[in-house]
Amino acid sequence: MWCDPFVTKTAPIDLRSDTVTRPDERMSAAMADAEVGDDVLDRDPTMRELELRVAELLGTEDALWVPSGTMGNLIALSLHLRRGDRFLAPRGAHVLTHELGSAAWLAGGMPEPLNWDAGPGRPSARLVRSESTDGGGYDSLRSSLLCLENTHNEAGGAVIPPDEHAQLVAAARDNGLRVHVDGARIFNAAVALGVQPATLTVGADTVQTCLSKGLGAPVGSAVAGSGEFVEEARRMRKMLGGGVRQGGVLAAAGLVALEDTDRLRTDHDNAARLATGLTELGWSVTPPRTNIVLAAVPDVGHSLEWLSGLGVLAVPMAGRVRFVTHRDVGTADIDEVLRRVGNAS
Ligand SMILES: *Cc1c(COP(=O)(O)O)cnc(C)c1O
């Protein structure tokens, strides 16, 4: 393998995740100037403003700021599930594979992974119907929740379109299941589909969304639902140690992040550019729908090390190499990645 010593000395291009972004000047200024209060005592005004803005965008009655998406999901699942319950989620869902099993051991639900019979990351409504019918005996688990993921991370940022979302929700509802949407990247889905994010939450009880991914805030997510849910969620957040004081400093960044969600289109274009370029170089890549590019390689560990030697950072994901585009990498960076990979191949 030929390695250009100059290349390894240049700054690495970080495509590990859309969480690596740094606050830009506008965001930093907003954080410095944020009006704050004590959110645990009697609410922080900037945090409250952010929560109401998120609720408006997601089409829910209310929302609650949480430090991470994982906590947002855990709060929602804890309030939906009881011991002896079973919840359905698409295979590879974040709640199944990237939250250390907390949905089971803290929220108390038995996970049931659903196959992707409707496309990458997408179970069909028919499958939800058949899987949500329980055995019947008193010793059977009670299926009580469908947890959707839009976009689906392990499926390479796959989107669930509004009509399919509606069918999935109807299938769950008909069988008495509640619905939680893990919308960590729901704004990516909305931009890719050209719809309002609220279109992708219709009929759901709760939604979780990350401000710290493609939207670019340094910290924070929100969990949204009815006013009653958010009241309980706030208690649960406190229980988990997630109540923060002058959180307005963080919420101010979130408000800036929400101002221009259309910017995500650039990330999607860059992901498509990367995928096309890699394919031209002989890589086996699934065409991305949003900002996540998955490449199938014979040896993931070896490929990641090789890429890192070229100054291109990626992570392993579901047995593949995952590249994620974000606001801190531009089109020129993508071309540079392709140049480095092309030169070294
Ligand atoms: C990142 C992510 C989360 C969790 O977010 P954290 O803030 O990292 O805890 C949840 N769901 C999905 C699909 C994600 O990609």
Side-chain angles (χ1 to χ4, degrees):
M1 176 178 60
W2 178 80
C3 231
D4 183 341
F6 171 74
V7 161
T8 56
K9 277 192 208 111
T10 58
I13 300 169
D14 197 344
L15 298 172
R16 288 172 303 163
S17 177
D18 44 8
T19 54
V20 301
T21 58
R22 308 292 174 90
D24 60 19
E25 249 170 66
R26 246 170 64 65
M27 224 173 238
S28 304
M31 291 169 79
D33 295 343
E35 190 193 334
V36 294
D38 187 321
D39 196 63
V40 179
L41 280 181
D42 56 1
R43 294 288 173 107
D44 172 295
T46 307
M47 210 152 213
R48 194 63 197 128
E49 188 186 338
L50 172 74
E51 290 169 345
L52 294 173
R53 179 78 187 118
V54 169
E56 185 188 344
L57 287 167
L58 296 181
T60 57
E61 218 171 89
D62 205 350
L64 182 77
W65 183 94
V66 283
S68 70
T70 300
M71 190 185 286
N73 283 337
L74 178 59
I75 289 173
L77 266 59
S78 297
L79 294 177
H80 292 318
L81 296 167
R82 295 195 309 179
R83 292 182 195 190
D85 280 4
R86 170 176 178 261
F87 72 98
L88 316 177
R91 202 168 283 287
H94 202 276
V95 290
L96 298 177
T97 54
H98 299 285
E99 298 179 11
L100 296 103
S102 55
W105 68 268
L106 275 173
M110 182 72 91
E112 185 67 48
L114 298 178
N115 286 332
W116 302 350
D117 63 331
R122 290 149 46 216
S124 69
R126 191 169 38 80
L127 184 61
V128 168
R129 278 180 205 282
S130 64
E131 282 296 329
S132 52
T133 336
D134 299 321
Y138 89 98
D139 55 348
S140 302
L141 288 161
R142 193 185 290 135
S143 298
S144 62
L145 179 71
L146 170 66
C147 185
L148 298 172
E149 186 171 307
N150 202 5
T151 68
H152 193 298
N153 180 16
E154 280 204 8
V159 303
I160 304 174
D163 54 333
E164 248 179 78
H165 168 84
Q167 288 166 17
L168 289 163
V169 170
R173 287 268 171 252
D174 288 350
N175 289 289
L177 271 64
R178 294 190 183 182
V179 179
H180 172 68
V181 176
D182 179 357
R185 296 188 180 84
I186 202 166
F187 290 97
N188 292 85
V191 165
L193 292 160
V195 300
Q196 295 301 316
T199 317
L200 305 173
T201 70
V202 174
D205 296 275
T206 52
V207 192
Q208 184 280 122
T209 196
C210 291
L211 305 163
S212 59
K213 297 206 164 154
L215 298 180
V219 183
S221 282
V223 63
S226 69
E228 207 178 317
F229 164 78
V230 168
E231 219 169 284
E232 284 305 304
R234 191 161 179 246
R235 286 170 60 82
M236 189 78 199
R237 182 185 70 178
K238 180 69 183 148
M239 218 182 286
L240 296 170
V244 301
R245 303 292 175 167
Q246 282 74 47
V249 173
L250 301 170
L255 280 165
V256 173
L258 286 170
E259 273 174 20
D260 184 17
T261 56
D262 274 347
R263 193 210 55 78
L264 294 170
R265 203 178 305 278
T266 309
D267 298 347
H268 300 176
D269 292 346
N270 283 335
R273 191 181 185 92
L274 178 65
T276 306
L278 287 174
T279 304
E280 281 166 12
L281 291 170
W283 287 56
S284 172
V285 174
T286 323
R289 191 73 175 82
T290 52
N291 69 330
I292 299 176
V293 176
L294 295 180
V297 294
D299 182 336
V300 174
H302 176 266
S303 292
L304 290 172
E305 217 169 291
W306 181 77
L307 286 165
S308 168
L310 301 175
V312 177
L313 305 183
V315 293
M317 176 66 64
R320 301 196 217 178
V321 172
R322 187 190 78 164
F323 304 90
V324 186
T325 55
H326 54 80
R327 57 189 252 159
D328 287 1
V329 290
T331 305
D333 295 311
I334 298 303
D335 290 343
E336 176 61 17
V337 167
L338 293 170
R339 196 190 64 79
R340 290 182 193 181
V341 170
N343 282 349
S345 297

